[in-house]
């Protein structure tokens, strides 16, 4: 079992930055960690993945060059640094963990067993 708690959401103007954090209740070695986002009426979409213990990351095209995910394994914490925010980035952001092999670390919601409660990001134009 892994409990995940996100924080760091808020309201920001377009062009601004936010950093989201996701604290896990235990170490996540062997887990694919991910950020997803969802707006009402739409499916949850994958934003970024990182495999604990690996340096590889993967990003959705719509955030490449603007968002960066990273981990502090000593703190069991996942981060999402969001720069150059746009109004269309407004969403509830979730972190997720899935026990996968590194090459199976994908931005597919069905691959993840554990989810946080979400943190709201609002970007005003």
């Amino acid at each position: 079992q892994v409990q995940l708690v996100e924080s760091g959401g808020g309201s920001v103007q377009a062009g601004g930055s936010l950093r989201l954090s996701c604290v896990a209740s235990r170490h996540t070695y062997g887990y694919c960690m991910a950020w997803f986002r969802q707006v009402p009426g739409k499916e949850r979409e994958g934003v970024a993945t990182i495999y604990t213990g690996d340096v590889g990351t993967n990003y959705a095209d719509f955030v490449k060059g603007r968002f960066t995910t990273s981990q502090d394994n000593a703190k069991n914490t996942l981060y999402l640094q969001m720069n150059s925010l746009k109004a269309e980035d407004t969403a509830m952001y979730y972190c997720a963990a899935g026990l996968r092999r590194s090459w199976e670390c994908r931005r597919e919601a069905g691959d993840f067993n554990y989810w946080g409660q979400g943190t709201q990001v609002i970007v005003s134009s």
Side-chain angles (χ1 to χ4, degrees), residues 32-94:
C32 176
M33 303 298 294
W35 291 97
F36 286 81
R37 69 186 189 185
Q38 190 171 24
V39 297
K42 291 190 175 182
E43 289 191 358
R44 195 168 293 191
E45 58 182 3
V47 174
T49 60
I50 185 168
Y51 191 81
T52 303
D54 199 342
V55 297
T57 54
N58 183 272
Y59 297 94
D61 287 344
F62 52 79
V63 302
K64 278 182 182 176
R66 301 188 298 124
F67 291 11
T68 302
T69 191
S70 61
Q71 289 178 295
D72 184 336
N73 294 325
K75 297 180 179 180
N76 295 336
T77 302
L78 175 72
Y79 300 102
L80 184 68
Q81 178 66 44
M82 305 187 295
N83 299 327
S84 302
L85 282 160
K86 305 175 182 179
E88 51 264 43
D89 294 319
T90 295
M92 185 72 80
Y93 283 73
Y94 299 89

Side-chain angles (χ1 to χ4, degrees), residues 12-25:
V12 64
Q13 290 199 328
S17 299
L18 283 173
R19 188 175 81 155
L20 306 184
S21 299
C22 172
V23 179
S25 59

